[in-house]
Amino acid sequence: MTLQVADSYKIEIGPISQQHFDWLKGREYSGWIVFADENTVEDCLPLIEAYLPEDTPIIVAPEGELNKNLETCRELWEAMFEAGVGRRWCAICLGGGVLEDMSGFVASTYKRGIDFLQIPTTLLSMVDSSVGGKLGIDFNNVKNSIGVFNDPSGVWIDPMFLKTLPAREIRSGYGEIVKHALIADSGQWDQVKGITDLEAVDWSSIIPPSVNIKREVVLEDPFEKGLRKSLNFGHTIGHAIESYWLETEDRLFHGEAVAAGMMMESWLSTKLESLSGEDLKEITTYLLEIYGHQSVPESAFEQLLTLMRQDKKNEDSRINFTLLSAPGSARVNATAEPEMIVEALKWYNGLG
Ligand SMILES: NC(=O)c1ccc[n+]([C@@H]2O[C@H](COP(=O)([O-])OP(=O)(O)OC[C@H]3O[C@@H](n4cnc5c(N)ncnc54)[C@H](O)[C@@H]3O)[C@@H](O)[C@H]2O)c1
Ligand SMILES: [Zn+2]
């Protein structure tokens, strides 16, 4: 399946084949270089290695969010110089959101920018981070605070890579699929809410509509002036919970925190928007079944509110939310008073 992103590039979803690489050859680059991380070089590179010239330089970055920083960029830029990468080369970025964001940024700034192709290998990067042209790294303890908007030359999404992805990573990325359905596509929500066993999912049918939702949202609002904020559903409270748990022993994965955030923001949607109690029940029952419940200590409420106030999506001192008026329909730029957010946290705790 091919999705065109404006007139600039295509997202191909389906098995990667010789045809893909023939297309790349047709672009007549002076050379190709591969970026991978220490896991994808082992688990994913062998699946496409046969299509690459034997002398293709492979640059391996350390894995994980903690390495999504300037020091790693420096190492990647140095490795590019060492490999003799010139302006007419193409970088093939093979990895999850961390590697894709960072190597895309590195490619976009090397010698004022070379072309790059994204081959996402996690569920999150397939349906979310590889669509929309946002690239960058964490800096000064602020996530994604240095970066650029820049489109790749193409995105190739092949679910075969998911076979080696740990189950908890799959479940985490799946949160974005649920989110896309809830903000924009009630038909997909009807399909998604029937999925209970993530190990038995046919990803080739679930991924394309989800990618398409993200594509349509970013096409309408490439620079995040309004509609793109709908992608923030579940993330105002979710990010705060994710940051809070970073400082504790048991880390929560992004999608797990966002699932809790989506439950609470759905509750807010019944208070501040027109989401029905029935829909709220259906959403929470489903998310609890997939993600379970994580009690939030009352002693953390103040800190969570402080974290929400710092959210970069706020335009003034009020806390910005995307809420649902119904499954499949979102409203951006809603706000809620701190007392009501605390009520949402208490309501969520009561579900456990
Ligand atoms: N650019 C955007 O619009 C956007 C949107 C959402 C998230 N993000 C970013 O995405 C990042 C998170 O991405 P992620 O969840 O993909 O995490 P990740 O890139 O850290 O990957 C998760 C783990 O899985 C490993 N891995 C990747 N593919 C694998 C495979 N096929 N088999 C086995 N192991 C594999 C990785 O090495 C890593 O250890 C965050 O930094 C976030 O800021 C960006
Ligand atoms: Zn997210």
Side-chain angles (χ1 to χ4, degrees):
M1 176 179 199
T2 304
L3 297 171
Q4 179 73 39
V5 181
D7 49 8
S8 64
Y9 69 100
K10 290 188 172 79
I11 301 173
E12 303 282 356
I13 311 175
I16 291 177
S17 67
Q18 185 62 48
Q19 261 187 339
H20 289 69
F21 285 89
D22 286 346
W23 170 84
L24 197 60
K25 271 193 201 124
R27 292 173 63 96
E28 298 184 338
Y29 290 107
S30 310
W32 301 346
I33 187 167
V34 172
F35 286 111
D37 76 18
E38 53 197 307
N39 291 320
T40 61
V41 72
E42 300 282 338
D43 293 331
C44 306
L45 184 61
L47 306 181
I48 57 162
E49 218 162 16
Y51 303 118
L52 302 171
E54 258 178 37
D55 58 353
T56 307
I58 313 289
I59 299 180
V60 181
E63 70 81 39
E65 188 72 34
L66 288 177
N67 290 305
K68 190 181 170 184
N69 58 31
L70 202 51
E71 287 69 42
T72 311
C73 289
R74 187 190 166 88
E75 286 166 22
L76 301 183
W77 282 315
E78 275 171 0
M80 291 173 88
F81 272 103
E82 256 167 53
V85 175
R87 279 203 32 83
R88 282 283 309 148
W89 281 50
C90 183
I92 300 172
C93 306
L94 180 71
V98 166
L99 190 275
E100 300 282 275
D101 280 12
M102 179 166 55
S103 58
F105 171 67
V106 160
S108 298
T109 45
Y110 179 81
K111 298 191 175 174
R112 295 205 175 81
I114 65 166
D115 281 2
F116 66 102
L117 181 85
Q118 293 188 313
I119 307 185
T121 61
T122 63
L123 189 55
L124 180 133
S125 58
M126 291 179 190
V127 299
D128 191 353
S129 68
S130 70
V131 187
K134 279 190 187 179
L135 307 164
I137 53 165
D138 306 335
F139 187 73
N140 244 358
N141 289 325
V142 185
K143 263 187 74 135
N144 302 321
S145 51
I146 301 289
V148 294
F149 280 99
N150 192 23
D151 284 335
S153 300
V155 180
W156 300 348
I157 298 174
D158 187 340
M160 76 171 164
F161 294 113
L162 299 177
K163 288 193 186 119
T164 53
L165 191 67
R168 200 171 167 196
E169 293 284 0
I170 297 256
R171 190 176 71 151
S172 180
Y174 181 68
E176 308 296 344
I177 293 184
V178 176
K179 178 193 77 179
H180 286 165
L182 284 173
I183 61 169
D185 186 343
S186 60
Q188 196 180 23
W189 167 237
D190 286 340
Q191 190 184 7
V192 155
K193 72 190 182 197
I195 296 173
T196 48
D197 179 3
L198 293 183
E199 282 175 25
V201 174
D202 172 15
W203 294 113
S204 61
S205 68
I206 299 295
I207 290 171
S210 197
V211 170
N212 199 37
I213 292 168
K214 172 111 194 221
R215 183 190 73 109
E216 287 187 347
V217 169
V218 300
L219 274 179
E220 270 191 48
D221 180 18
F223 301 111
E224 206 157 49
K225 299 214 182 324
L227 182 69
R228 192 162 179 163
K229 283 190 183 168
S230 62
L231 299 166
N232 204 32
F233 174 59
H235 283 62
T236 304
I237 300 181
H239 270 151
I241 289 189
E242 188 180 10
S243 308
Y244 174 78
W245 254 273
L246 263 187
E247 293 161 25
T248 66
E249 296 268 295
D250 26 41
R251 177 186 157 223
L252 269 188
F253 279 31
H254 176 72
E256 297 164 351
V258 168
M262 287 195 284
M263 290 185 233
M264 289 180 250
E265 294 180 20
S266 295
W267 181 84
L268 288 176
S269 303
T270 62
K271 302 287 165 198
L272 300 167
E273 291 294 322
S274 53
L275 189 73
S276 73
E278 240 168 70
D279 286 328
L280 172 67
K281 188 151 197 303
E282 198 166 48
I283 293 167
T284 41
T285 305
Y286 182 65
L287 289 172
L288 286 172
E289 184 173 351
I290 301 286
Y291 293 93
H293 185 268
Q294 182 75 50
S295 288
V296 185
E298 291 222 3
S299 57
F301 287 3
E302 262 318 305
Q303 198 182 336
L304 289 170
L305 286 171
T306 305
L307 286 162
M308 286 176 226
R309 286 190 190 100
Q310 290 162 356
D311 193 306
K312 62 178 186 288
K313 297 205 169 55
N314 301 333
E315 271 157 25
D316 47 36
S317 60
R318 288 174 304 176
I319 300 171
N320 188 293
F321 288 94
T322 293
L323 298 179
L324 301 177
S325 45
S329 165
R331 186 170 96 74
V332 300
N333 291 332
T335 58
E337 296 303 323
E339 297 73 32
M340 189 172 264
I341 300 172
V342 165
E343 253 188 89
L345 287 158
K346 287 185 177 159
W347 167 83
Y348 172 74
N349 275 347
L351 295 173

